[in-house]
Each structure stands twice: as C-alpha cells, then as structure tokens.
C-alpha cells in the first residue's frame, strides 16, 4: 500500500490542533511553537505532494479510496488535480505566516482592576492562546480536506465544518484597535461572527438538499446511489446517467448558491466586510486568502463538472453578477475610512474577477482564474498582514489617524506599498498576469463584459494609491512619531510573500504548468472550446 500522503497532509494539522490545545494554560509560548512546528510539517507534506504531482499524468493523482458507509454510498475518496494541489500548497504556505503575524494576538489583555482587588494590581483578561492557534490548525485541516475530497458528501462535511472554528476565531479573537469601547467592540465582533455563520450555514443547507437530490438521481438511474465524483462523471460519460434538464438546473443552483456565499459573489457578499473588519489581521487573511478559495475552487470542481449544461445555462447571469461585484467592490473600497474594510471590499472585487474567468469558459479565462486564486492569496496576505502591523502600532484602523508613516517607518511603508501595488495588479507583480488572462479570456467571448470589468483596474489604482497617500505620506501625524519599523519576526512574515509576488509576476510558468491541464479537463467537461479570432472566423 502506498503512503497515504493526502490523508497525512490533512491529518497532521488536525493532530497539531489537539496537541496545541492540550498544552498547559501557563505555557503559552510552548503552545505557539508547537502549533508553528505542526504548520511547518504540513507545509513540508504539501510541498511533497506538489513535487509528486505530474501535470502530464492522470487527472486525479495521489488518490485514496476506502469504503465508509456502504449502505449509503459514502466513501473516503481523496485525489488532487493541478488546481487542488496548488491551493493546498498555498494554504500550507500561508498558515505559518498567519501564526507568526498573530504571535501576540491571543495574549491576556490588561484591563482595569476589578472592584475589591488590590490597588495598582492590573487585571489580566484571560484569552486562550492555545485555543487561538489550535483553531487555526483546525481550519487548515478542514480546508485541505475540502481540496482533496473527491466524494461529494465528504467534501460537504468539511465545507461546513470549517465554519465552526472560523466562528470562534472571528467572535473570540477580534481586533483590539477599535474606536468603540470594549463592550461595543465585543458586540460588533459577535455580530460579525454570527452573520458569517448564518450566511454560510444557509448556503450549506441549500447545498445539502442538492447533494441529497444528486444521490437520489444516481440511485434511481444506476441502481445504487453514489456520492463519488469520479463514478458520477464516468457514468455520465458512458451514458448510464442522464440528468433531466430541469433537475440538473435545480441541483446546480443548490451547489452554486453555497459556493457563491463562500466566494463571496455579489449580492451574497455582505458578511465579508464585517468578518474581516472585526477580525485580527491574521484571521482576516485566513478568511479571504484561504477559506474563501474553497468557494471558487468548488465552482470549478463541482458546478462545471457535475452540471455542465446547467453551468452554461446560468453563465450569462453569473457573469453579470461577477462584473457587478468587480465594480461594486472597487467603488465601495474607494469610499472606505477603515483600512481593513477597504481591503475586504477590494477582495470582493477580486473574487468577481475570479468568477468572471471561471464562467467565461475559455482557456485563458479559466487559467487566469485558477492562477488568480493563488496570486490573490499571496497579495492579500501581504497587504493585510502589513496593514495589521500598522494598525497594531497605532491602535486604530481608521485611515484618518495615519499620516507620514514613511518618514518614521520606511520599511513598513515600503512593504505596504508593494502589497498595495500587487492588489492593483501592477505589471511585474503576480496578480497582473492572472488578471490579464481573465480579461483577455473574457473579452474573446464576451467583449462588452470584458470592457466593463476593466473599470475595476482603474478603481483599484484609485483606492490603493489614495490609501497609501493618506497613511504614508505628508506630515507626521500625532501618535505616529514614535512608531517603530518592522521587527525581525514581521520581516520573516512579509519578505517571502513579497519575493513570491515578484517571482510569479515575472515567471508564472511553474504554477501555470500545474494548473493548465486541469483547466483543459474542465473545459472538456462542459464541451467548450475557445472562440476563433475574428479574422480567422471570416476566412
């Protein structure tokens, strides 16, 4: 029996979560290093999976298949294609940086001494450091399993289960830099966490109905119900399974709704600004750079592969929603006064680009969308984590409270600028390549939508450069004079991300070589080919 690499890659952070949570409460530093070691071990396994993956080989590789509950057709089926293995590597890469950036985010808070206590004896509000790092590892395990699962029900379990640790990370470990008092801040964190949970649970419940419906269809036509993605695709390819048009459309809508909430796609996006705004910067990165990628990934793996005709039927509406999301997110980012909410709305705009590329159904569009998932994770992590360092130093996340930072903390300002330029897709940085491919792929089939989508680029330049101008340039504002520059731990977090942005901006081929075969398979599933150029078509 071959080594179960995918199982171990997902199991290691889950084990790490248990071990970290079991560290005695007084040994907070030991808990942090324990979690960091497990995250680095997971990164090593993810790199091993990436090395073993052969882009020219089978569609799904490193596969594992075991019976789970035979009577209900449930199986423990794992396998990765190029997109999945790239996103697993991205997830495993970001988690150690998230931990290092949030190294002090779960320390006990010094508050006013409670009544009856000795004078001058500060009261430490307990914050479970072990719990914070254990929850991060638990999210990583569930996200990795979501990328690995090739059984629809197995995917659904972890797609929903990851909401629970995220709920506690948002509600229990919120941002300390809040203009309101502690009581109001706690109320807003609770509101953001509940809104995140309710939106995503609602989408998950609708998806559950669609999953059950898919099982019923396979049971009726194949004699035995199955949730296996590969078995369903094989049955459809051989003609043994035929889903009626109306049924396929309803099933597609059930799946797509859940993924659109997670992605997030306008108008199902409203939970994201609250969740990112009230979270610490590392948790905000976990939301938008890791968890939300499961939604766009699932559109490629499940919506397009399982329901190809319904996907084509829904494409015009989805493309319009994606373009609205691009422009809407960028416009609201321009008007934000809160740094973290600005980045949240920018992410909504970027997810619009990803979904636009997916449903343009061209080779360039889907390759760009898949690459954008990777590049957006890196660029958003870089910008948000540097923004978090900035906010922690000032004790405020309001743009108006900053000014002249580049004069007192030039390295911090420089890294913030690079992260911002990556966010606006400056040529030479990684997101430019993916955004360009998405727009070219969209324009070749839907030129009007492609032209409108370019407005998102113009607005991105506006909100990023205005943000930099207001926070980093001009006279040094009160409260900024003594701001320290980036420390060694913070440089260790930011430097590799910036290096990746530069490298992939100049040479994205190592990633696109892994992604492109999976894109070709997906386009084959929906029976789509690239449109011929206008001049060639006239001949």
């Amino acid at each position: 029996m071959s080594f179960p690499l995918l199982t171990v890659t997902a199991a290691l952070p889950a084990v790490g979560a248990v071990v970290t949570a079991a560290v005695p409460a007084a040994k907070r530093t030991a808990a942090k290093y324990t979690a960091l070691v497990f995250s680095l071990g997971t990164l090593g396994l993810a790199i091993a999976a990436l090395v073993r993956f052969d882009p020219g080989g089978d569609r799904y590789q490193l596969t594992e298949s075991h019976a789970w509950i035979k009577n209900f057709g449930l199986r423990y089926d794992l396998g990765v294609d190029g997109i999945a293995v790239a996103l697993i590597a991205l997830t495993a890469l970001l988690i150690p940086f998230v931990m290092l950036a949030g190294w002090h985010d779960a320390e006990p808070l010094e508050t006013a001494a409670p009544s009856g206590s000795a004078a001058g004896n500060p009261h430490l509000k307990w914050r479970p450091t072990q719990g914070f790092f254990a929850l991060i590892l638990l999210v990583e395990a569930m996200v990795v399993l979501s990328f690995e699962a090739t059984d629809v029900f197995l995917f659904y379990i972890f797609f929903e289960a990851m909401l629970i640790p995220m709920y506690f990370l948002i509600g229990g470990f919120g941002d300390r830099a809040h203009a309101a008092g502690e009581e109001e801040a706690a109320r807003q964190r609770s509101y953001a966490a509940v809104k995140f949970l309710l939106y995503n649970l609602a989408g998950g419940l609708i998806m559950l109905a669609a999953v059950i419906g898919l099982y019923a269809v396979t049971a009726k036509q194949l004699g035995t119900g199955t949730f296996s993605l590969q078995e369903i695709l094989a049955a459809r390819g051989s003609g043994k399974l035929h889903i009626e048009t109306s049924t396929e459309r309803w099933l597609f809508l059930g799946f797509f709704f859940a993924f659109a909430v997670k992605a997030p796609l306008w108008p199902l996006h409203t939970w994201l600004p609250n969740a990112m705004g009230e979270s610490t910067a590392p948790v905000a990165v976990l939301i938008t750079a890791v968890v939300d990628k499961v939604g766009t990934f699932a559109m490629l793996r499940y919506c397009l592969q399982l329901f190809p005709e319904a996907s084509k039927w829904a494409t015009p509406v989805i493309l319009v929603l994606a373009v609205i999301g691009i422009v809407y997110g960028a416009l609201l980012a321009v008007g934000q006064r809160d740094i973290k909410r600005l980045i949240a709305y920018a992410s909504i705009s970027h997810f619009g680009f990803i979904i636009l590329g997916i449903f343009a159904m061209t080779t360039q569009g889907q390759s760009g969308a898949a690459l954008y998932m990777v590049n957006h994770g890196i660029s958003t992590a870089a910008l948000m984590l540097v923004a978090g360092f900035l906010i922690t130093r000032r004790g405020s996340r309001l743009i108006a409270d900053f000014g002249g930072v580049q004069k007192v903390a030039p390295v911090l300002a420089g890294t913030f600028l690079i992260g911002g330029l990556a966010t606006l897709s400056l040529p030479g940085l990684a997101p430019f390549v993916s955004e360009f491919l998405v727009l070219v792929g969209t324009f070749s089939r839907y030129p009007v939508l492609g032209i409108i989508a370019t407005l998102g680029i113009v607005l991105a330049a506006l909100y990023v450069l205005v943000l930099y101008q207001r926070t980093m340039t001009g006279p040094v504002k009160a409260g900024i004079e003594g701001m320290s520059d980036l420390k060694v731990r913070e440089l260790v977090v930011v430097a590799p991300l910036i290096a990746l942005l530069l490298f992939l901006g100049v040479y994205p081929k190592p990633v696109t070589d892994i992604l492109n075969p999976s894109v070709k398979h997906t386009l084959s599933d929906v029976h789509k080919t690239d449109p011929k150029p206008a001049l060639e078509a006239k001949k």
Side-chain angles (χ1 to χ4, degrees):
M1 181 181 294
S2 60
F3 180 71
L5 180 58
L6 297 186
T7 294
V8 176
T9 303
L12 186 62
V15 172
V18 175
V19 174
T20 302
V23 174
K27 297 185 180 297
R28 292 190 297 273
T29 301
K32 295 175 186 179
Y33 280 109
T34 299
L36 183 61
V37 168
F38 274 97
S39 70
L40 291 173
T42 305
L43 175 59
L45 291 172
I47 292 172
L50 197 62
V51 170
R52 287 185 56 184
F53 184 83
D54 178 13
D58 295 337
R59 180 173 190 174
Y60 292 104
Q61 300 179 34
L62 308 177
T63 55
E64 301 173 33
S65 183
H66 306 282
W68 184 14
I69 306 176
K70 290 185 179 180
N71 292 340
F72 294 99
L74 297 176
R75 298 189 60 81
Y76 178 78
D77 286 349
L78 304 181
V80 290
D81 59 5
I83 299 172
V85 77
L87 291 177
I88 290 170
L90 171 69
T91 301
L93 173 70
L94 292 180
I95 295 300
F97 296 139
V98 166
M99 288 184 176
L100 285 171
W103 202 248
H104 301 299
D105 285 354
E107 295 292 333
L109 299 177
E110 186 174 309
T111 62
S115 58
S117 62
N121 182 25
H123 174 61
L124 293 180
K125 181 180 177 182
W126 184 72
R127 286 162 63 94
T129 303
Q130 287 83 342
F132 179 75
F133 288 91
L135 288 171
I136 292 174
L137 287 171
L138 199 56
V139 170
E140 179 180 23
M142 293 176 177
V143 169
V144 168
L145 267 170
S146 297
F147 291 139
E148 294 175 347
T150 56
D151 180 276
V152 177
F153 196 80
L154 184 66
F155 166 82
Y156 174 78
I157 290 173
F158 294 104
F159 179 80
E160 287 294 277
M162 71 179 70
L163 301 180
I164 305 304
M166 284 307 309
Y167 168 81
F168 288 109
L169 284 170
I170 296 169
F173 300 91
D175 192 356
R176 303 183 195 180
H178 209 292
E182 178 60 30
E183 185 175 343
E184 176 63 17
R187 189 192 68 80
Q188 292 190 25
R189 288 197 299 270
S190 177
Y191 171 78
V194 170
K195 189 174 184 179
F196 163 83
L197 187 64
L198 290 180
Y199 266 66
N200 283 276
L201 278 179
L205 288 174
I206 293 173
M207 180 184 169
L208 178 60
V211 169
I212 295 171
L214 179 63
Y215 177 83
V217 170
T218 61
K220 181 179 179 180
Q221 296 194 28
L222 301 179
T224 303
T226 181
F227 292 104
S228 171
L229 175 65
Q230 296 188 66
E231 288 181 11
I232 294 171
L233 293 178
R236 294 203 72 171
S238 64
K240 294 180 181 179
L241 178 63
H242 174 73
I243 305 177
E244 294 182 3
T245 300
S246 60
T247 302
E248 181 177 337
R249 289 177 179 178
W250 281 111
L251 294 176
F252 167 85
L253 290 174
F255 276 73
F256 180 79
F257 183 83
F259 303 152
V261 172
K262 184 87 78 181
L265 174 66
W266 184 92
L268 304 172
H269 67 283
T270 59
W271 63 267
L272 183 66
N274 296 99
M276 289 184 65
E278 299 306 322
S279 301
T280 61
V283 173
V285 169
L286 202 60
I287 295 170
T288 190
V290 176
V291 171
D292 287 354
K293 296 300 185 299
V294 178
T296 48
F297 163 80
M299 291 178 189
L300 282 165
R301 173 167 284 190
Y302 297 101
C303 287
L304 268 61
Q305 292 185 33
L306 289 174
F307 315 111
E309 296 305 317
S311 297
K312 290 185 283 189
W313 163 75
T315 287
V317 174
I318 295 172
L319 290 177
V320 170
L321 294 179
V323 171
I324 292 174
I326 291 170
V327 178
Y328 170 88
L331 281 172
L332 265 66
V334 170
Q336 291 303 306
R337 296 179 298 173
D338 182 310
I339 296 175
K340 288 165 70 176
R341 289 180 71 90
L342 185 152
I343 298 173
Y345 280 108
S347 287
I348 291 170
S349 182
H350 295 150
F351 275 102
F353 278 109
I354 294 172
I355 296 170
L356 183 69
I358 291 172
F359 283 90
M361 295 191 187
T362 60
T363 301
Q364 289 171 317
Q366 287 196 356
S367 293
L371 183 60
Y372 212 144
M373 285 189 254
V374 176
N375 290 340
H376 173 264
I378 300 170
S379 63
T380 299
L383 181 60
M384 179 59 86
L385 293 178
V386 176
F389 299 149
L390 180 70
I391 291 167
T392 299
R393 283 163 165 74
R394 179 64 179 86
S396 172
R397 61 192 203 216
L398 297 179
I399 297 172
D401 290 338
F402 295 87
V405 174
Q406 66 181 12
K407 296 178 180 178
V408 296
V411 177
L412 191 156
T415 54
F416 189 80
L417 178 61
I418 295 173
L421 294 176
T423 297
L424 64 82
S425 298
L426 183 77
L429 296 175
F432 169 76
V433 181
S434 44
E435 198 162 286
F436 178 78
L437 286 173
V438 166
L439 289 172
V440 170
T442 302
F443 187 83
S444 66
R445 180 161 278 149
Y446 304 98
V448 174
L449 293 177
I451 291 171
I452 298 172
T454 56
L455 182 59
I457 300 176
V458 178
L459 293 171
L462 180 60
Y463 62 71
V464 168
L465 295 178
V466 169
L467 172 65
Y468 184 83
Q469 180 187 37
R470 292 178 178 175
T471 56
M472 302 295 164
T473 65
V476 178
K477 284 198 172 183
I480 302 296
E481 305 92 339
M483 182 177 288
S484 62
D485 214 332
L486 293 182
K487 301 173 183 177
V488 173
R489 172 179 59 85
E490 295 165 333
L491 286 170
V492 168
V493 171
V494 176
L497 296 175
I498 290 177
L500 279 172
L501 289 173
L502 293 169
F503 176 76
L504 294 178
V506 176
Y507 191 63
K509 188 175 184 295
V511 180
T512 56
D513 284 349
I514 294 172
L515 300 174
N516 286 342
S518 298
V519 168
K520 291 179 181 178
H521 284 301
T522 303
L523 286 174
S524 176
D525 290 334
V526 294
H527 309 293
K528 279 283 191 179
T529 56
D530 290 333
K532 295 182 179 179
L535 292 176
E536 184 179 339
K538 288 180 180 179
K539 294 180 182 179

